[in-house]
Structures are given as C-alpha cells and as structure tokens.
C-alpha cells in the first residue's frame, strides 16, 4: 500500500482535529482510500502545549520550513489562518510542488485567484472544502455533483456566530449586546468578533462560492456587506408578527452577464427552511436548472466538523496520487482558461422588497408625508404597521414595500430622514421572497 506523507502547518483547534482523525480513523481512511496516510510533521510556534493527543511518530517542530522543504511530504495542510504568514507558506508549498489543503477563507477570498495560478504553474492541487460551511460538502457539491447544472441562485447562512446571536435575540428578546456577550461566554463568538458580526466572514465564503457556481474569478471587493450589529429585538418582533425570520444571508444570483453578490440581514418567510436553521448551524440552498433546489445543513465550525472537511480534501488528493493523476477536478470548478470576470450587479440596481422602520413623530400628517415621499420615488407600500408604545413623543412605524429598486429606496429614505417627521435613520431590512 502506498504511503502518502502529510504535513500540517498550525496546531490549533482544527490542526488538533485533523491530527486526531488521521490517527483515530487510520484504518477507515486506509480502507477507503487504498493509501496509508502518514502524518509526518506538524509545525507550530507552540510546541509545548499539551493538545491531549498522542502523536506517535509524528514530529512536532517550530519551524515551518521543516514541513515546506521535506521532499517526502506530498500534502501540506495550512491551518494557521490570516493572510500574511499563511499566504507566504502556501505559495512556498505550491512552488515546492506540494499539494495544499487549507481552511483559510479570508486568504482565498483575497488572494485565491493568484493562488490558483501558482498551483497551476506548479501542476499541484489546492483544496479548500473546510473554507465554507465547515463540514457541509458545498465545494464538492458545486464543483462535482452539480456539474451539469447552471446555478441560478444560492442563499446561505454561513456564519454560526451571527446565527447564534440572531437566534438568541429572537428566542429571548434580548439586545444584540447581551446576545453577543452570551455567545462569547459560551465560546461561539471570538473576543474580537467584528469579522463575524460585521458580515465579512460570510462575504469571504460567498466570494468563493460565487466563483465556483459561475466560473468567475473570486471577487470579494464588489460584494455588498452589512452585519447584524444594528438589528434590534423590535425588528425581530415585527418580523415574527409578519411570519418572517431575520437571518444574515449570503445571496448569490446570476442575471445574464452579471452576478448579484450581497451579505446582509434578510427577512425570510417562515416557510423557507433557512428560517429554521438556528443557533450556530449553517445551511445553504442552491437553485439550479436541472436539480431545482438542493439544500445542505451542518456545523459550520468546530474542531471535528472542520477537520472532517479537511480530511475529505486529503482523501481526494491521496486518491489522485494513487491513481497516478492530479488536478483531476479544476480548483474553481472550471479549467483556469474558462474562468471569466463576471461583473457584480451594483446594489443600486437591486430589485427586492423592503421592511422600513421609522421612529416617527406622533403628529397628524406624518404617515402621509412618509408615504408621499415613498410614492414620489415609485415605491409602492404593501402594508403599514404601527404598534408599541410612544417613547419621547415617537412611535415605531413599519412599512413593507412591494418590489422596488434599491436606488429609489435609498433616495426616498434620505429625503424622509431630512424631514422633521422622523428621528434618526430608518431601519432597512431587505425581504427575500423565494420560498423553498
Ligand atoms: N467564525 C465562523 C463562524 C466560523 O462563526 O461561523 C469560521 O468561518
């Protein structure tokens, strides 16, 4: 049986999970791949902490070069994270003709196009199943299972931290700050949570998934990103009363020669299964022309779910090696020569429905003034709701619009904010109509 040697860079939570699976599932992996997967070396600056795992003959070193330059090592697994050291090491690994497996979504979203070229120039593989949605096999699904489909749209919950916080606010009526604090205490949220709660982690994943869906270059910079800091229990209570749930969604759609790419809190109908994906779970709904809707649901993070996804990449590469092939499946799902730049639709052109909440003065004529400005901007109101108590002379007024163009909505809202009918900026939450 052929032995395939593996090196890991980064012995943190996921690194420990990968080492654990390679040890604990040795027999299963051998019988499934037909290869012996030998974890030869792990490199981490911390070689002292006891990770609770018997490394056997695996070397633990502090110098990454030991792994990067080892002629025996076939596959290097990058689990350091970040975009500086990790990028340098992945480039070196590819240039040293090592296949690379990574879970690093931020790096792929920012530098993925370059890394794909480097992998191509060196005729090695770059695999990243663990980068999006943890253990959900979304990369394999898009690259392989749906190969005969045009992907028309996807909507996904890809950040467990945000989903946990929104679930807590919804269940307990607590504030965003209280829910974040609880999430941090329970280890669901980082001490520095902005990457998650401001939507950037979700955008990194959407950039990768849009590329795989449409044969386009990875494009992070044109994704519209909003986080969940501003969501209040009041908005969640209004959403509930309409039969909606608020989720931080990644939305990708193709419209002719453009793609839609946006991340923002979204109201979805409770008939949509995504509305029932709670706590830190992730899920993705993919609409494709032959399949119709396909959904995946699973743990988006955590030691063993993420390690499981890393192992699926290792097994793919090992199977390639033992069958004398490599780069069997194109890295971004399309041979590099077929990858195009597809422009992202400007948010101004987005057509959707809106939930608008104003803190309105409780005076005669205020409602007609607001609705008048909306009407002058071609925005048709579906329903108006006023409930809750007056505070300091203001009452929350909610309007649900029919489908309108984002540019019209933003213009109208600037005009409304400039009047003395409302206080502060209105809350805007887009409504996604599709029902799964
Ligand atoms: N921090 C992410 C989350 C997991 O909360 O889902 C890694 O992308």
């Amino acid at each position: 049986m052929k032995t395939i040697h593996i090196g890991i860079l980064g012995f943190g939570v996921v690194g420990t999970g990968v080492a654990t699976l390679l040890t604990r599932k040795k027999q299963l992996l051998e019988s499934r791949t037909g290869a012996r997967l030998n974890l030869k070396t792990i490199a981490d600056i911390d070689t002292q902490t006891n990770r609770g795992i018997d490394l056997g003959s695996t070397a633990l070193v502090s110098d990454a070069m030991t792994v990067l330059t080892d002629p025996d090592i076939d596959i290097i697994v990058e689990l350091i994270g970040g975009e500086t050291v990790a990028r340098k090491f992945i480039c070196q690994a590819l240039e040293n003709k090592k296949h690379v497996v990574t879970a690093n979504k931020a790096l792929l979203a920012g530098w993925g196009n370059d890394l794909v070229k480097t992998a191509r120039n060196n005729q090695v593989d770059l695999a990243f199943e663990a980068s999006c949605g943890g253990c959900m096999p979304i990369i394999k699904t898009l690259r392989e299972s749906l190969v005969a489909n045009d992907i028309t749209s996807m909507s996904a919950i890809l950040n467990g931290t945000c989903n946990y916080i929104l679930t807590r606010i919804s269940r307990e009526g607590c504030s965003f700050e209280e829910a974040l604090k609880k999430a941090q205490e329970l280890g669901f949220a980082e001490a520095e949570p902005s990457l998650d709660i401001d939507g950037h982690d979700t955008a990194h994943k959407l950039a990768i998934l849009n590329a795989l869906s449409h044969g386009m270059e990875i494009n992070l910079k044109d994704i519209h990103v909003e986080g969940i800091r501003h969501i209040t229990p009041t908005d969640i209570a209004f959403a509930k009363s309409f039969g909606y749930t608020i989720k931080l969604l990644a939305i990708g759609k193709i419209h002719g020669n453009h793609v839609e790419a946006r991340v923002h809190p979204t109201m979805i109908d409770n008939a949509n299964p995504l509305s029932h994906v709670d706590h830190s779970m992730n899920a993705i709904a993919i609409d494709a022309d032959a399949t119709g809707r396909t959904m995946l649901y699973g743990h988006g993070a955590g030691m063993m779910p993420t390690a499981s996804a890393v192992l699926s990449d290792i097994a793919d590469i090992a199977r390639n090696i033992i069958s004398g092939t490599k780069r069997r499946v194109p890295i971004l799902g399309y041979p590099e020569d077929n990858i195009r730049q597809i422009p992202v639709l400007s948010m101004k052109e987005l057509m959707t429905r809106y939930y608008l909440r104003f803190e309105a003065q409780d005076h005669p004529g205020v409602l007609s003034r607001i609705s008048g400005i909306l009407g002058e901007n071609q925005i048709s109101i579906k329903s108006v709701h006023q409930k809750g108590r007056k505070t300091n002379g203001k009452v929350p007024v909610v309007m649900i619009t029919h489908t309108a163009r984002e540019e019209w909505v933003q213009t109208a809202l600037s005009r409304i904010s400039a009047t003395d009918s409302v206080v502060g900026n209105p809350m805007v939450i887009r409504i996604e109509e599709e029902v799964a």
Side-chain angles (χ1 to χ4, degrees):
M1 186 182 285
K2 183 169 173 60
T3 298
I4 292 171
H5 297 283
I6 297 157
I8 295 179
L9 303 176
F11 201 19
V13 174
V14 180
T16 304
V18 172
T20 304
L21 282 184
L22 281 168
T23 313
R24 201 187 285 163
K25 297 297 177 80
K26 202 173 175 50
Q27 299 289 323
L28 180 70
L29 289 164
E30 274 182 23
S31 75
R32 282 194 163 155
T33 62
R36 189 174 298 113
L37 302 180
N38 174 46
L39 178 54
K40 188 170 180 203
T41 313
I42 303 173
D44 193 285
I45 43 174
D46 174 7
T47 56
Q48 299 307 311
T49 299
N50 179 1
R51 275 90 168 174
I53 165 175
D54 177 6
L55 286 178
S57 62
T58 302
L60 177 58
V61 301
S62 59
D63 181 7
M65 291 312 285
T66 311
V67 175
L68 290 165
T69 58
D70 183 338
D72 284 348
I73 290 183
D74 304 285
I75 304 171
I76 293 185
V77 183
E78 181 278 310
L79 298 169
I80 301 166
E83 294 179 54
T84 48
V85 175
R87 181 171 153 235
K88 187 176 127 199
F89 288 166
I90 288 183
C91 288
Q92 280 181 5
L94 296 171
E95 279 158 11
N96 291 351
K97 317 283 183 212
K98 312 291 187 196
H99 302 290
V100 170
V101 175
T102 180
N104 194 332
K105 63 236 74 179
L107 181 66
L108 290 163
W111 302 93
N113 299 317
D114 292 345
L115 295 176
V116 168
K117 284 193 191 111
T118 308
R120 179 196 204 178
N121 292 342
N122 291 283
Q123 285 300 295
V124 284
D125 254 311
L126 173 64
F128 45 89
E129 185 63 70
S131 65
C132 300
C135 64
M136 293 192 296
I138 181 60
I139 306 294
K140 198 179 273 287
T141 299
L142 291 173
R143 288 203 314 193
E144 300 181 52
S145 314
L146 298 180
V147 68
N149 285 260
D150 282 307
I151 311 288
T152 49
S153 78
M154 69 169 72
S155 44
I157 295 168
L158 295 172
N159 188 273
T161 305
C162 289
N163 207 37
Y164 179 84
I165 290 171
L166 291 174
T167 303
R168 262 202 111 100
I169 303 175
S170 176
R171 299 251 170 109
E172 291 159 28
C174 60
S175 68
F176 167 81
E177 288 75 18
E178 287 164 335
L180 171 61
K181 190 159 172 281
K182 201 72 202 166
Q184 286 170 322
E185 281 166 14
L186 293 172
F188 287 114
E190 305 280 347
E192 208 307 87
S194 54
L195 195 64
D196 292 316
I197 63 179
D198 293 328
H200 301 295
D201 175 75
T202 303
H204 293 153
K205 295 165 184 168
L206 178 60
I208 297 166
L209 298 180
N210 257 349
L212 292 165
S213 298
H214 308 302
M216 63 185 278
E217 285 192 352
I218 297 170
N219 179 348
L220 174 66
K221 73 174 177 25
D222 293 331
I223 295 180
H224 174 85
V225 189
E226 288 171 35
I228 61 164
R229 283 182 203 262
H230 59 299
I231 298 298
T232 68
T234 305
D235 300 305
I236 289 187
F238 269 114
K240 272 188 191 166
S241 72
F242 306 144
Y244 288 138
T245 300
I246 300 177
K247 295 290 183 189
L248 184 78
L249 288 194
I251 298 170
K253 297 182 185 177
I254 189 105
H255 296 286
N257 294 326
H258 287 77
V259 292
E260 228 176 76
R262 48 193 170 101
V263 171
H264 52 70
T266 311
M267 280 196 190
I268 50 175
D269 193 289
N270 287 341
N272 183 334
L274 288 175
S275 71
H276 303 290
V277 174
D278 284 335
H279 299 290
S280 61
M281 299 306 285
N282 282 201
I284 182 161
I286 308 151
D287 291 318
D289 57 351
T291 56
R293 180 156 290 184
T294 301
M295 289 194 71
L296 298 172
Y297 169 89
H299 291 280
M303 179 193 275
M304 298 320 273
T306 310
S308 167
V310 169
L311 258 296
S312 81
D313 284 338
I314 293 174
D316 276 350
I317 295 171
R319 284 167 166 158
N320 281 348
I321 292 172
I322 57 170
S323 44
T325 182
K326 57 187 172 183
R327 294 171 53 78
R328 194 183 62 80
V329 181
I331 295 172
L332 291 181
Y334 288 67
E336 284 84 17
D337 289 341
N338 296 347
I339 292 174
R340 301 171 293 153
Q341 281 184 352
I342 305 182
V344 173
L345 194 79
S346 157
M347 274 305 271
K348 283 185 188 172
E349 292 175 49
L350 176 69
M351 296 292 291
T352 192
R353 291 176 55 215
Y354 295 83
Y355 159 99
L356 308 173
R357 177 171 59 78
F358 305 94
E359 284 303 304
Q361 302 286 3
D362 199 9
H363 294 158
V366 161
L367 271 186
S368 70
R369 201 157 175 208
I370 295 173
S371 51
I373 295 174
L374 291 171
E376 284 159 25
N377 286 279
Q378 307 176 63
I379 299 153
S380 168
I381 298 164
K382 180 166 182 263
S383 58
V384 179
H385 311 261
Q386 184 182 336
K387 65 176 170 209
R389 271 191 280 140
K390 182 152 88 172
T391 6
N392 300 328
K394 268 83 74 193
V395 285
V397 172
V398 164
M399 294 184 178
I400 302 289
T401 75
H402 287 291
T403 299
R405 189 178 153 100
E406 175 96 9
E407 187 176 21
W408 305 337
V409 172
Q410 295 300 344
T411 304
L413 294 181
S414 309
R415 279 188 55 200
I416 293 168
S417 298
T419 68
D420 57 8
S421 298
V422 300
V423 176
N425 290 325
M427 170 67 77
V428 183
I429 302 178
R430 297 173 191 87
I431 300 171
E432 206 46 26
E433 269 315 306
E434 289 88 348
V435 174

